[in-house]
Amino acid sequence: DRAEPLEHKRFLAYRSRPGTMFALLLLTAPASLPAIMSSLPIVSSLPMSERRLATDETIENCKKVTIDFVIRDNDPTIASVEDDIVRDLAKIGINVNTRVVNASAYIKAETEGDYHMLFTRTWGAPYDPHSYFNGFAVPAHVEYSAIGGLEPPLTRDALLEMIADVQVQSDPLVVADKWEEILQEMHNQAMLIPLWGTRIPYVLNRRFAGFTPSTQTYSYPLSSVKIHSGSGNVTVAPGAGGSLFSSIGPVHAHQYYPNQLFVQSWIYEGLVGYGQDGEISPVLATSWVVQEIPSGGAQYTFTLREGVKFHDGSDWNCAVAKLNFDHVLSPTVKQRHKWLGTTEQLTSWSCNSAGQFVLETKSAFYPLLQELSYIRPLTFAAATAFAQGIDSDPDTHNSCNSGDFGSRYAFIEDTVTCAGLKPIGTGPFKLAQQETNADGVDIKAVFARHDDYWGGAPEIEFLHIRYYETTDDVQKDLLSGDLDMALGIGPLTPKQVQDLKYYHSDKVDVRHSEVMQNALVIMNTNKAPTSDIVTRRAIIHAVDKSRFIKEEFAGLEQPVYQQMPFSAPYCNVELNPTWAFDFEKAQLLNCPVPAETTTSDKLPVWAIAVIAVGGALLVAVLAFLYVMYRREKQNKPLFTNINVETKDVEVRDA
């Protein structure tokens, strides 16, 4: 190595007394302390996912509230996450009293507002958003009671006016703007915990082919299914409103629960259908013409499909179409259907001389065709299904079943006589047999194919609907081959669906729809303590849905942060603020004195040791500086100056 020669220099050297070198080391200690300290865990820098359960002291600082959480007794989906929600809320001092109830008690709770939180879903295609929001005006729906105490200046009446107004707009851009305003107003109320977007699962034995997932949430289209092998007798475990099936109900064309939508879709049909991306498709009408009329409304003229036969062989025609509308839309009975905008918009329905069915509305009501695609109530039963045939009077022999209107609409039967309706439609399947036990469970429910179906007779000869007590039994029978199909939400848990998809695809074919509806927890703004928007916000931010959805759904569903699915018309908008998990914010909202640390923030032993050593070094440095100062004052310095002369040194190559 080569080095340059050194010139003569004078420099300061230090000659220490005993301990001087140690003292020099101590002088460097303070510079190292910031680096040491910066490596230690600090509460505010911890990832939110690591900040879990609050300490007992923290919970003592929280506002103590107890809330009732109402869920259905046979809904395996919500049952799988209910305990997670309860645990999350306990971390901010909110005690949850979960009430697991049957269908009747569930309906009673939502209609009477007897809940603080209640698990629900948007209605899905084709009902979202307008019919779902129209349901807010119906006392029988949970949303009506939930919006009774909205934050000013918004009120229930004002919100319902906004919902009604958007539906009579004709300009699509105006419609879009008004829906965005409604969605943002609802979002601001913090009355919903958006959980996950629901894709409808369908599991079929590999002996079938040709199944296409439905474009409607609660229908299971089986008329196109082909049978590769085996019998034409097919066993099905259907989902019933998101739960395990128990009964198909009275199979009525025009009424609601306990009638099951999937059964009504097999037996009855409407004028039009709901296709991919909301496309309106011909069903019992082959075409239609829409014209504006001087009153400001619109006239719809439907050309009806010819050659269509009902299950009993009777003919489909305009007179039958009018008969069904007369009974559903009678001035008294239509009050039960007020969630349907069509019931308020239609001013007349008649048959013209060409046998076409003509409807007129009072306003430019944009959702009319969409509402005519619904599974109920504006679908058609044969004239022979009515008590007095084609001459059945809507008041004295209405098609309604007595007692099926529910307590809130019992008054309807004060002026209308319900004479019932036989289950005779035009659909691809017809009811062949139904046996119900004393507990209201169908021990036998069989549907036969409609051999004269206008769309072509299905290959499936008979559908045997099976009742199961548990989803485990459903999965076991699917794998053994004793069960052919499990359709919709309810017969299997999300984990079971994923297990069948990834580990048993040799035996079953698993299909999914797109995201049809959002799963939600709705909070009652009209009942304390959820009448307090601060409490509602705290609840929303305390629920760590991403964690439990990952654990319970095995990738089947994904978290959502808004009320409506983006796939619903006019709902593909970003709303603020984002209702996401934020434990620190939940604590700040519900706890007067937020916790400074959590159980996961305790310092490790090595960190405590480093701090102790650093503190000792700092004390030693200060002591040394004090001693050095005292010695200087006494003319006894610790260090002296030495003059050192250096000579030229020539460095040669090694």
Side-chain angles (χ1 to χ4, degrees):
D1 291 7
R2 186 183 301 272
E4 295 295 329
L6 294 177
E7 297 180 356
H8 290 288
K9 289 185 177 179
R10 166 171 287 215
F11 63 90
L12 181 66
Y14 294 101
R15 182 183 64 200
S16 69
R17 296 172 183 264
T20 300
M21 293 307 296
F22 177 67
L24 287 173
L25 291 174
L26 289 178
L27 286 171
T28 65
S32 65
L33 285 176
I36 294 172
M37 296 301 295
S38 66
S39 69
L40 300 178
I42 299 174
V43 171
S44 61
S45 67
L46 285 174
M48 191 61 65
S49 61
E50 294 180 13
R51 305 191 65 186
R52 309 310 312 161
L53 185 62
T55 64
D56 291 340
E57 181 182 356
T58 300
I59 294 176
E60 284 301 315
N61 293 327
C62 294
K63 181 170 63 176
K64 300 296 189 300
V65 297
T66 298
I67 57 177
D68 283 351
F69 186 15
V70 176
I71 65 174
R72 281 288 306 275
D73 59 350
N74 60 348
D75 189 331
T77 303
I78 186 58
S80 66
V81 302
E82 174 269 337
D83 57 336
D84 296 282
I85 294 174
V86 170
R87 281 196 298 268
D88 284 346
L89 295 184
K91 297 171 189 176
I92 59 167
I94 295 179
N95 178 58
V96 179
N97 173 38
T98 302
R99 288 160 44 199
V100 183
V101 299
N102 60 27
S104 298
Y106 181 89
I107 293 172
K108 182 180 180 182
E110 63 177 346
T111 56
E112 296 180 357
D114 184 21
Y115 64 92
H116 293 110
M117 299 197 313
L118 184 142
F119 178 75
T120 185
R121 295 179 174 93
T122 63
W123 292 6
Y127 307 97
D128 293 341
H130 72 278
S131 285
Y132 168 67
F133 276 97
N134 283 341
F136 285 29
V138 180
H141 294 169
V142 64
E143 292 81 10
Y144 181 84
S145 58
I147 62 174
L150 297 175
E151 289 294 306
L154 190 65
T155 64
R156 176 161 55 195
D157 288 342
L159 176 63
L160 296 179
E161 285 181 14
M162 294 171 68
I163 294 167
D165 177 63
V166 69
Q167 295 173 70
V168 296
Q169 305 300 319
S170 56
D171 185 338
L173 294 179
V174 174
V175 172
D177 287 344
K178 286 181 175 290
W179 271 121
E180 184 171 359
E181 181 183 5
I182 292 169
L183 295 173
Q184 186 63 61
E185 287 285 0
M186 281 295 299
H187 194 77
N188 293 344
Q189 292 295 320
M191 57 175 288
L192 296 156
I193 310 174
L195 295 176
W196 62 83
T198 301
R199 297 187 299 158
I200 314 300
Y202 311 92
V203 182
L204 293 83
N205 189 284
R206 284 288 180 184
R207 72 187 188 91
F208 303 104
F211 176 81
T212 301
S214 177
T215 54
Q216 296 205 30
T217 306
Y218 296 110
S219 69
Y220 312 139
L222 298 178
S223 61
S224 64
V225 170
K226 305 299 180 184
I227 302 175
H228 280 325
S229 61
S231 171
N233 286 277
V234 176
T235 54
V236 179
S243 305
L244 284 163
F245 158 84
S246 60
S247 174
I248 61 176
V251 196
H252 197 290
H254 307 146
Q255 292 187 272
Y256 306 102
Y257 179 84
N259 296 279
Q260 293 299 329
L261 284 159
F262 73 90
V263 171
Q264 290 169 309
S265 71
W266 287 343
I267 291 183
Y268 305 106
E269 295 176 306
L271 293 171
V272 296
Y274 188 83
Q276 192 69 35
D277 298 323
E279 177 190 14
I280 303 301
S281 56
V283 183
L284 292 181
T286 56
S287 63
W288 50 92
V289 176
V290 184
Q291 294 178 312
E292 293 183 2
I293 55 179
S295 65
Q299 183 184 79
Y300 293 75
T301 303
F302 293 90
T303 299
L304 303 183
R305 191 177 296 277
E306 297 180 353
V308 175
K309 296 289 185 181
F310 285 95
H311 297 153
D312 65 348
S314 59
D315 293 327
W316 155 251
N317 54 47
C318 190
V320 177
K322 183 178 183 303
L323 173 66
N324 279 265
F325 271 51
D326 286 344
H327 283 246
V328 175
L329 301 176
S330 79
T332 304
V333 173
K334 77 175 185 179
Q335 294 179 74
R336 176 61 184 91
H337 310 299
K338 65 189 299 183
W339 64 271
L340 200 67
T342 297
T343 62
E344 297 300 318
Q345 281 292 326
L346 282 182
T347 57
S348 68
W349 48 94
S350 60
C351 299
N352 65 18
S353 58
Q356 295 171 308
F357 193 37
V358 182
L359 308 180
E360 291 190 356
T361 65
K362 63 183 179 183
S363 306
F365 180 61
Y366 87 81
L368 179 71
L369 290 174
Q370 190 168 334
E371 291 196 355
L372 293 178
S373 73
Y374 294 176
I375 293 171
R376 62 190 184 199
L378 294 174
T379 51
F380 301 99
T384 53
F386 290 75
Q388 299 293 317
I390 197 68
D391 298 320
S392 296
D393 185 271
D395 292 328
T396 61
H397 294 89
N398 194 275
S399 63
C400 56
N401 285 341
S402 181
D404 279 1
F405 286 117
S407 59
R408 283 191 174 270
Y409 296 97
F411 68 87
I412 290 176
E413 294 194 56
D414 293 341
T415 54
V416 169
T417 301
C418 292
L421 189 72
K422 298 174 185 176
I424 306 171
T426 61
F429 297 98
K430 57 187 178 182
L431 182 63
Q433 192 175 7
Q434 182 182 12
E435 294 181 17
T436 308
N437 66 18
D439 295 325
V441 174
D442 285 349
I443 56 176
K444 183 175 288 188
V446 182
F447 296 85
R449 71 182 176 193
H450 180 21
D451 289 324
D452 295 325
Y453 181 54
W454 62 267
E459 285 195 13
I460 296 173
E461 296 179 48
F462 293 96
L463 289 167
H464 299 263
I465 310 304
R466 285 219 186 143
Y467 166 74
Y468 285 92
E469 292 188 352
T470 70
T471 61
D472 290 339
D473 292 335
V474 174
Q475 184 179 33
K476 177 175 68 68
D477 282 2
L478 281 170
L479 293 175
S480 70
D482 288 340
L483 177 66
D484 288 313
M485 302 178 182
L487 305 175
I489 304 170
L492 294 166
T493 67
K495 282 187 175 180
Q496 288 170 329
V497 172
Q498 295 296 77
D499 179 76
L500 290 168
K501 178 196 293 186
Y502 292 116
Y503 302 109
H504 302 285
S505 59
D506 58 325
K507 296 180 180 178
V508 294
D509 180 21
V510 179
R511 302 291 184 90
H512 300 281
S513 70
E514 64 177 358
V515 172
M516 287 282 200
Q517 58 184 175
N518 282 357
L520 313 165
V521 170
I522 191 166
M523 290 180 277
N524 192 347
T525 67
N526 206 29
K527 184 177 182 180
T530 50
S531 55
D532 180 4
I533 192 171
V534 176
T535 298
R536 299 199 301 270
R537 287 172 177 163
I539 289 172
I540 291 172
H541 287 305
V543 176
D544 188 2
K545 56 194 168 192
S546 296
R547 172 181 52 80
F548 64 67
I549 289 172
K550 180 179 179 180
E551 293 171 355
E552 301 294 345
F553 289 78
L556 179 62
E557 312 292 15
Q558 298 298 318
V560 295
Y561 302 94
Q562 299 183 179
Q563 179 180 8
M564 305 302 296
F566 287 135
S567 60
Y570 305 109
C571 295
N572 190 15
V573 294
E574 293 287 347
L575 305 176
N576 290 300
T578 300
W579 294 129
F581 171 62
D582 189 332
F583 183 68
E584 193 170 57
K585 186 176 291 185
Q587 280 188 307
L588 290 171
L589 289 168
N590 201 58
C591 306
V593 182
E596 295 182 358
T597 62
T598 67
T599 55
S600 64
D601 298 333
K602 290 182 178 178
L603 294 176
V605 173
W606 67 266
I608 295 173
V610 169
I611 293 174
V613 171
L617 288 173
L618 184 59
V619 170
V621 168
L622 293 174
F624 172 76
L625 292 174
Y626 175 76
V627 170
M628 186 172 67
Y629 171 76
R630 294 281 299 173
R631 293 291 295 269
E632 290 288 344
K633 293 289 287 181
Q634 297 171 1
N635 290 320
K636 298 178 181 180
L638 293 175
F639 306 105
T640 58
N641 290 337
I642 303 174
N643 290 332
V644 180
E645 293 291 333
T646 63
K647 297 182 177 181
D648 290 341
V649 180
E650 184 165 332
V651 180
R652 292 189 173 91
D653 290 335

